[in-house]
Amino acid sequence: MSFIRPSFFRRHLWNDPFDNFLGSNFDWYDPFDEYDRSIFPIHTPQLNWIREPERRRASTYQRGQSTEKFRVQLNVAGFTPDTVKTNIEGNKLIITAKQEERDGDDFHVREFRKSYDIPEHADKSNLASYITPNNMLIVELPVNNPIHQQQMLDSHQKYRGSDQSEHERQIATTHSDSNQNGQQLAPKGYSPFDFGSFYGSTFGPKIVDGPSGEKKIDMNLDMKGYTPEQIKVSVKDNDVCVQAEQSYRDNNRSSRSYSYKQVTLPPGTQIENLQSTLTQDGHLKIEAPYRPLQAFKIIPLGVKGGSDESNLSAYLVTTEGSSAYICLDAGTLYAGVYKSVEYGVWGKNAVPDKIFRDNIKAYLISHAHIDHVNGLITNSAEEHKDKIKPIYALRNVIDNLREHYFNWNSWPNMGNNGQYPINRYHYNVLQEGEKLSILKDPDITVTPYSLSHSKVGFSSKTYGSTAFLIESHGNYLLYLGDTGADEIEKTDKLQHLWSKVAPLIKQKKLRAIFIEVSFQ
């Protein structure tokens, strides 16, 4: 295994403008990027274009996309720009130059012709070529591999919400000002990060847990056929560029061709600690620590108990970058979703029915009091007929739902067992203190702990409730259904719960606590 030291640069900020073309910073100039093309002529000597591209990427480019291109560099000192020609013939790039110098009746002609094999999926219609101030001819072709493009499209669609990704909405909300209606607006010129395209890039990025529970980004590129000396890894802001070089030499001059792959890493990536190594089997491993800007995304659908049926306990929870939610209790569902759409939480053109059916993937019910299950019951007929949704709860809660609500007396049996089940919901019994995976994408687990809610009538018996410890990639959220202090409830339920979560608080892994209290 060979360690490849990354080079670090600042994007579009140099002390010496000539260094853009004479130094390593020039690796980052992209003739197909409208922003690069507009800013470089201002801060650098004018390029001598041989073939200027017509392609414009600025209108569709989003941070998070990855790019590939093929580049040839050739020293053309001694030739004027008008004598240099670049063309595509079949699957070859042809570069020719012919310079004639006359002195009276005497003349001298210098010329050359060089050819290069171009990659299989190079975009021949978008060839760009230009000569830099230090007489370096640069020829570039974007590479559009259809397999990679489909992979990008599939990943992009997977990580989209109604019409924006969750992370876009988070960033827009975090870095915005409010309009007169209280809706959050993204700042002018803001370009949101596209997690879908990031996950679909040729770098094959994954966000994984390290040995101590910390998160990191792992990437893997196939670089078979290249030695460590031919590979260069460069970092500028959150952009990572991998350059693979091939050298050519003949009797007259030397030249080089390069394969470029570039990807933008998400906010929260610790770029300064990025490392890259080339394995013996020819794979370039790139990794960097990752600290998400926001561990959980929470959308309250209702926050109260009591008489207001449009604002009963229900909270949607997911992880950064996902549009798949779990619902903690379900007092108010559709009315809460409808209100959140009105407030612009889901972006433009969001449809409440679609969000209710498709974005809520599972329910966690702390106890079966009506102000915590009202929406689950009354909206059950609107759930997908062919997509049964899971309900997770302790045994006594599942029994209450099955025996007292979904029993054809109080309400049709929307569960998956009992008399004439309609199968809108699937009952899943949780075991106290045992962790269970409830979603795979995103990866979310739950560990339940029993609580005491209040006494039943004038008896000594207490009604149960539940605390849910939610975990995803080393981040935790604690939700407590209705409960009271141990001294009042005459139990040690809370003391037991705090003993379990105290280490997480000490380790700074517990991100939020929701506590609902009982009223006597």
Side-chain angles (χ1 to χ4, degrees):
M1 181 176 292
S2 301
F3 176 74
I4 298 177
R5 185 181 299 277
S7 301
F8 293 87
F9 305 100
R10 294 177 298 164
R11 184 172 177 81
H12 301 309
L13 295 173
W14 296 273
N15 294 325
D16 182 0
F18 286 90
D19 190 49
N20 301 335
F21 297 104
L22 305 180
S24 298
N25 275 317
F26 185 61
D27 290 339
W28 288 93
Y29 177 65
D30 187 348
F32 305 110
D33 189 323
E34 189 81 0
Y35 181 70
D36 273 7
R37 295 186 64 205
S38 65
I39 196 169
F40 267 79
I42 298 174
H43 297 286
T44 63
Q46 183 68 39
L47 296 177
N48 289 302
W49 286 95
I50 307 300
R51 295 185 62 167
E52 188 169 0
E54 297 180 359
R55 180 182 176 193
R56 297 293 184 267
R57 192 175 65 193
S59 60
T60 58
Y61 181 75
Q62 283 186 304
R63 305 289 286 176
Q65 292 183 357
S66 65
T67 57
E68 296 182 53
K69 64 181 180 180
F70 173 74
R71 172 188 280 185
V72 169
Q73 291 185 194
L74 178 63
N75 191 327
V76 291
F79 293 88
T80 59
D82 60 296
T83 65
V84 179
K85 308 296 181 185
T86 57
N87 295 288
I88 300 292
E89 295 181 7
N91 291 320
K92 289 186 177 293
L93 167 65
I94 307 298
I95 301 176
T96 59
K98 184 175 182 180
Q99 183 83 35
E100 182 178 304
E101 298 177 356
R102 288 186 174 273
D103 183 10
D105 293 333
D106 298 328
F107 66 92
H108 174 70
V109 176
R110 288 180 291 110
E111 62 180 320
F112 70 84
R113 183 183 190 275
K114 298 187 75 68
S115 65
Y116 304 85
D117 293 326
I118 62 176
E120 179 182 1
H121 300 293
D123 185 353
K124 301 175 185 178
S125 63
N126 275 304
L127 182 145
S129 55
Y130 49 91
I131 299 176
T132 69
N134 63 331
N135 299 311
M136 186 66 69
L137 171 67
I138 307 293
V139 185
E140 293 194 6
L141 287 163
V143 177
N144 301 321
N145 189 319
I147 297 177
H148 295 162
Q149 288 182 326
Q150 185 61 48
Q151 179 181 340
M152 182 84 71
L153 179 62
D154 293 343
S155 178
H156 183 67
Q157 293 176 341
K158 177 180 178 181
Y159 282 88
R160 298 291 285 183
S162 53
D163 70 331
Q164 282 183 302
S165 72
E166 284 300 308
H167 190 71
E168 289 177 12
R169 287 191 286 273
Q170 293 170 12
I171 298 294
T173 301
T174 304
H175 301 82
S176 63
D177 296 322
S178 298
N179 65 8
Q180 294 179 348
N181 297 322
Q183 294 175 306
Q184 299 296 319
L185 303 176
K188 184 178 181 180
Y190 170 74
S191 179
F193 189 84
D194 184 349
F195 267 94
S197 296
F198 167 69
Y199 284 121
S201 73
T202 57
F203 284 70
K206 296 179 180 179
I207 298 177
V208 299
D209 291 332
S212 302
E214 73 281 5
K215 298 165 76 67
K216 65 176 182 176
I217 291 177
D218 276 357
M219 297 185 289
N220 187 330
L221 277 177
D222 187 350
M223 303 298 289
K224 293 184 180 69
Y226 293 97
T227 66
E229 293 74 25
Q230 293 175 304
I231 298 173
K232 179 180 179 181
V233 179
S234 303
V235 180
K236 187 171 291 185
D237 294 340
N238 271 40
D239 294 336
V240 175
C241 178
V242 175
Q243 168 190 303
E245 174 188 333
Q246 288 185 332
S247 299
Y248 307 84
R249 184 177 295 275
D250 56 26
N251 295 330
N252 297 317
R253 63 186 66 243
S254 62
S255 61
R256 298 174 181 176
S257 69
Y258 301 89
S259 172
Y260 283 84
K261 296 180 186 292
Q262 182 178 333
V263 68
T264 302
L265 302 182
T269 305
Q270 308 299 297
I271 289 294
E272 64 276 9
N273 295 319
L274 183 141
Q275 295 182 342
S276 54
T277 53
L278 184 66
T279 64
Q280 292 182 348
D281 61 352
H283 284 84
L284 181 64
K285 304 284 188 180
I286 302 175
E287 64 178 40
Y290 177 61
R291 297 176 183 173
L293 299 182
Q294 184 172 330
F296 294 99
K297 168 81 171 180
I298 301 165
I299 301 177
L301 302 183
V303 297
K304 293 182 178 180
S307 60
D308 185 358
E309 66 271 16
S310 67
N311 195 18
L312 303 177
S313 299
Y315 302 88
L316 297 184
V317 176
T318 190
T319 61
E320 182 181 32
S322 175
S323 59
Y325 288 81
I326 60 173
C327 190
L328 302 175
D329 281 329
T332 292
L333 286 182
Y334 190 84
V337 170
Y338 188 87
K339 189 176 296 184
S340 67
V341 169
E342 282 190 328
Y343 288 159
V345 172
W346 302 89
K348 296 179 180 179
N349 305 319
V351 180
D353 297 67
K354 179 176 174 59
I355 293 169
F356 169 71
R357 293 191 181 99
D358 296 339
N359 293 80
I360 301 176
K361 303 297 185 181
Y363 297 99
L364 275 69
I365 305 300
S366 66
H367 60 292
H369 279 173
I370 193 66
D371 58 334
H372 287 253
V373 297
N374 177 68
L376 184 76
I377 298 168
T378 57
N379 292 284
S380 56
E382 303 302 320
E383 296 281 9
H384 275 298
K385 295 181 180 179
D386 56 347
K387 293 182 181 179
I388 185 169
K389 284 188 181 179
I391 296 175
Y392 295 93
L394 293 176
R395 166 62 68 183
N396 66 306
V397 180
I398 295 293
D399 289 344
N400 277 328
L401 290 173
R402 182 175 56 243
E403 296 171 8
H404 299 297
Y405 294 118
F406 297 127
N407 58 10
W408 288 107
N409 291 317
S410 301
W411 202 259
N413 182 7
M414 296 296 181
N416 65 305
N417 56 44
Q419 188 177 26
Y420 308 119
I422 297 179
N423 291 308
R424 292 291 197 276
Y425 300 126
H426 185 277
Y427 298 124
N428 296 270
V429 177
L430 298 175
Q431 302 298 323
E432 180 167 3
E434 293 186 10
K435 180 187 291 189
L436 180 69
S437 174
I438 56 176
L439 282 186
K440 294 296 184 183
D441 187 12
D443 183 15
I444 294 179
T445 66
V446 62
T447 305
Y449 296 94
S450 63
L451 298 174
S452 177
H453 186 345
S454 59
K455 289 184 178 181
V456 178
F458 296 99
S459 70
S460 59
K461 182 180 178 181
T462 58
Y463 188 83
S465 183
T466 313
F468 296 118
L469 183 61
I470 309 298
E471 185 268 338
S472 181
H473 295 290
N475 296 297
Y476 292 82
L477 178 151
L478 180 63
Y479 174 82
L480 285 74
D482 284 333
T483 190
D486 283 346
E487 183 178 357
I488 296 175
E489 299 290 336
K490 307 302 181 185
T491 69
D492 61 354
K493 301 287 189 182
L494 281 180
Q495 182 179 351
H496 176 69
L497 175 64
W498 298 133
S499 69
K500 295 296 183 181
V501 301
L504 301 177
I505 298 174
K506 188 175 182 179
Q507 297 166 15
K508 298 182 179 180
K509 294 182 177 181
L510 188 62
R511 305 301 184 187
I513 301 177
F514 292 78
I515 303 178
E516 292 200 331
V517 296
S518 302
F519 292 92
Q520 296 293 333

